[in-house]
Amino acid sequence: MKDEESILSRRSFLGAGARATAPPWAAGVFGTGRPYKEAAFRAARWIDSLEIHRGVNTIWPISPGASVSFDLYSGIPGVVLFQLALSKAGSRDALTRAMAGANTLIEHIASGETKSGLYVGIAGISWTLERVYQQSRVAVYRDHARLAARTALESLPNETDVVFGLAGVGYMLLRMSESVGDSALLDGAVTCGERLLDRAQETDDGGVRWLMRSGDEVEMPGFSHGTAGVVAYLATLYQATGSERFLSAASAGGRHLIALSEGDDCMIPRKPTERIFYSGWCHGPVGTARAFHALNVAEGGRWADWVVKCAKAVRKGVGFEDWNNFGLCCGLAGKLAFFLDLFAASGSQNWLVVAKRLGDELVRGAVSSDGELCWPHAEHRVKPSEIVAQSGLMQGASGIGLTLLQLDAVLGGESASTYLPDNPFLYPNNINPE
């Protein structure tokens, strides 16, 4: 594929953004020379306006006047991860804020969290506390991260998926075992894989699939709740263990995903029983590419074409039921993070050009007040009138700001930090687009 643009310097990248149509306030952001970092810091100021202090603890509601969540998807853990990134980017008080949020999470664990999932449950809290330890080197955070991981291991979920289920918990256990050197956590990750093997269902196309819950009749093949997420986990688990049974099941799941795909690129419906296509991390090619990339790493480059097909589908943006959403799960930030992953894996300026355009669009889509930025949007496609600005990771300013900081880092010649355990692009390998 011929480059759409020549390799661009940092200055010409930023100049292109400044010339784009933007609301009046955005001129000040694009005029800073580092607009993505500036936008992220302004988002942090909006989040700071929501915080509530309780002694050495801090909480942030999901949105102004809303309740507090302790889940990685929409709650305090995502804000804590953003604060850690802000600290690395030079914010003087962000690490203190992250630790205050982590104190709240420790208190929440003691109250008896009953869910064990990665994005909804204690596995996400465990990962977040470990990240706080890695940056602060305060031992209490690692101690409670390990405690939370073992609690998740003792109450493995019945679901199979990344958000609630075995794939997500398995990812946490695997990454935590690498981080803390606890073999019991690796054993737990293997147990998650074995249970997923037991739940695999053979399909008419010669592959296998995973339904989210026992008794489900409708398949959701995407990354968040279905086959793509399980495939990515099993292929990653194979890399850690060398067990061919995990790779065999992952490959069969990959063949099923290909059988579901329509057209020249990777277009897989949200449910095979309906003709609705999402583009994002949850049910679209942004997430499905993770499955193909994990397989590609595990099998020495055999699946690279399908990673690129996913990317082309997202870049074209044709045929998707996209809506007013800026988040990591369903919207623009998730696409931006995906193209940054592709750039890291391939070195291709094509993907960085796309990422930069998406970053510009994210900045222009923000709402500004008193120097603060937030992104009001509709979380759900079927509820387009419910417009809310959220603070959290997957639907809010923390996830958007985190991704903008990653874009700033890449344009400055640095690597984009990966903060989530379910991202198989932690293991980049040579994806060479046409």
Side-chain angles (χ1 to χ4, degrees), residues 9-18 26-39 42 356 360 404 407-409 411-412:
S9 68
R10 181 185 178 91
R11 179 176 297 176
S12 59
F13 263 124
L14 301 181
V29 174
F30 283 116
T32 63
R34 298 186 73 172
Y36 312 114
K37 180 178 179 179
E38 176 68 18
R42 293 192 185 195
K356 194 269 169 191
D360 289 350
L404 289 171
L407 176 58
D408 175 79
L411 292 177

Side-chain angles (χ1 to χ4, degrees), residues 133-151:
Y133 165 75
Q134 290 290 337
Q135 210 154 319
S136 70
R137 292 297 166 177
V138 176
V140 67
Y141 299 119
R142 166 161 283 184
D143 292 342
H144 283 86
R146 190 192 297 263
L147 174 63
R150 286 184 173 263
T151 300

Side-chain angles (χ1 to χ4, degrees), residues 346-369:
S346 69
S348 170
Q349 291 290 322
N350 288 319
W351 306 135
L352 189 55
V353 167
V354 178
K356 194 269 169 191
R357 289 173 180 167
L358 291 167
D360 289 350
E361 192 172 348
L362 271 176
V363 174
R364 294 194 299 267
V367 170
S368 176
S369 176

